[in-house]
Amino acid sequence: MRRIQAGNALSAFGLGFTVPYLYVYVAQVRDLGATTAGAVLGVFAMAALVALPFTGRIIDRRGPLPVLVGAALLAGAGAVSMGLAGGVQSVVLSAALLGAGTAVMQPALATMIVWCSDATSRTRAFAMQFFLQNLGLGLGGLIGGQIVDKSRPESFTLLFGIEAVMFLVLAGLALTIRLPRPTENPAVRAAADGGRGGLRVLLGHKAMVQLCVLGFVLFFACYGQFESGLAAYGTEAAGIEPATLGTALAANTAVIVLAQFLVLKFVERRKRTRMIGAVGLIWAVAWILAGYAGLGGGSQAMATAAFISTYALFGLGEAMLAPTVAPMVADLAPESMVGQYNSAFALVKQLALAIGPAVGGPMGAAWHAPYIVTFVLFSLGITVLAVRLGRQLTPVQNHPYLVAKTRVVAQHKPTEQVQAAA
């Protein structure tokens, strides 16, 4: 498990190392213009959307380890080619390789955590994964920022070269891991191998479908707004300086890092859906604070404090979500479909991250009051969806602490709905 978590940190570090500077690199350093830079970022996201639907079935058939190694090598090749790219076609192709590789790593790593954990340890394992991912992203962005220099293109080549080395180290580390193979249910295994049959099993699982809907709203209302809608709203409506946006993001990361293990014991002893519902209420307060920052008419200092507090409250909610949502996906999945369930949820997240900026950016920049009202309602919708999801879950799926307390070992078997679909 320690090696798997080290892999999580390396993958996040690689992303944080270069992605924040990808736009500047393409538009200014390679002098390809803002349009090309926007297209490169779009290709980076679209490559993930194309790759993820096929990832889960391959993980379930071949195991997550070869998928992780292949994804790391693919991302490494994308990083090297991006550092050497000089034309439009080369940067677009590099972005496709890098986007597909980094996206595929996530369900592979999540499946590896599932295979190496049980109901009593999975919550803490995913909390550690989230902690290391944020730490890796933060450190990667910080160190990368000290290397890059727009006047020196070779500094970006060095940046992408170091990123490629990180992915190669990840691939080498993965090859040293020996994973236990979970037991399989023949009926569900046959359906999973059928491709469409596997999709039919997933779509027939009401709890998983509801969790995917809830996940889309979660990612749309939070992560999908950080660097687009909320940033545009802060600068346009609240008069926030660009440097303050960096402070707000730092506050978000700091709260996650400091609060993750402080809230873990509190979260793991309570029903998962109740904690997700509480996150919806916390984020509603965060959006109200953002509304005060831009629409409240207070001093600039108060507006700045309120805006930074918005990001901090988002961080608190994220720290509460880490031990709940990802483990729930794992606990809902049949043994032979863990990869497909993780990939499906990763696809939902990627869709939310693609649609969120497209919707939130224009609203945050121009329609200030409707923007805040919309996302207060989305946050309250998280609470409603969480309560509804709780009615579809078994006690062990919703409250795994009961397993540890009663020393009952949960068998990771498909529910009756999933077996019927199979």
Side-chain angles (χ1 to χ4, degrees), residues 23-309:
Y23 182 92
V24 173
Y25 172 71
V26 175
Q28 300 179 17
V29 176
R30 293 305 182 189
D31 198 26
L32 297 176
T35 302
T36 301
V40 165
L41 292 174
V43 168
F44 185 86
M46 287 302 298
L49 295 178
V50 172
L52 284 171
F54 306 99
T55 302
R57 193 147 43 108
I58 298 173
I59 290 174
D60 291 330
R61 286 182 174 181
R62 304 298 182 187
L65 189 55
V67 174
L68 176 61
V69 172
L73 294 176
L74 187 67
V80 170
S81 61
M82 181 65 77
L84 300 175
V88 174
Q89 291 183 343
S90 56
V91 295
V92 168
L93 177 60
S94 301
L97 295 175
L98 191 57
T102 54
V104 170
M105 289 180 198
Q106 300 313 307
L109 285 164
T111 303
M112 292 169 73
I113 290 177
V114 175
W115 283 19
C116 294
S117 63
D118 55 29
T120 60
S121 61
R122 194 164 292 140
T123 296
R124 288 182 174 268
F126 276 102
M128 176 61 76
Q129 180 197 36
F130 186 72
F131 171 80
L132 290 174
Q133 283 179 340
N134 280 277
L135 189 62
L137 286 169
L139 289 175
L142 181 63
I143 296 173
Q146 304 305 309
I147 295 175
V148 296
D149 183 350
K150 290 192 295 183
S151 64
R152 296 174 52 245
E154 62 270 18
S155 68
F156 284 85
T157 303
L158 174 63
L159 192 75
F160 286 106
I162 295 174
E163 181 186 36
V165 171
M166 290 297 101
F167 289 134
L168 291 177
V169 172
L170 171 57
L173 180 64
L175 291 173
T176 68
I177 299 173
R178 296 294 179 265
L179 293 175
R181 183 77 189 186
T183 57
E184 300 177 349
N185 181 278
V188 180
R189 179 69 181 180
D193 286 342
R196 292 183 179 179
L199 179 62
R200 187 164 57 249
V201 170
L202 195 152
L203 294 178
H205 194 173
K206 291 183 180 179
M208 182 59 187
V209 172
Q210 288 189 20
L211 180 57
C212 286
V213 173
L214 173 59
F216 180 87
V217 177
L218 282 167
F219 296 121
F220 179 80
C222 177
Y223 301 97
Q225 304 307 313
F226 269 7
E227 297 176 3
S228 58
L230 192 54
Y233 170 84
T235 54
E236 296 292 339
I240 300 299
E241 295 294 331
T244 305
L245 292 176
T247 303
L249 286 169
N252 174 266
T253 302
V255 169
I256 291 172
V257 171
L258 295 174
Q260 184 63 83
F261 295 103
L262 293 177
V263 304
L264 179 58
K265 184 174 289 187
F266 175 81
V267 171
E268 70 180 352
R269 295 190 178 193
R270 284 157 180 83
K271 289 184 177 180
R272 287 167 167 170
T273 52
R274 286 185 181 177
M275 291 298 96
I276 298 173
V279 169
L281 298 178
I282 291 171
W283 285 358
V285 174
W287 281 108
I288 291 171
L289 282 174
Y292 170 78
L295 308 172
S299 67
Q300 187 60 46
M302 291 295 292
T304 300
F307 192 76
I308 293 174
S309 298

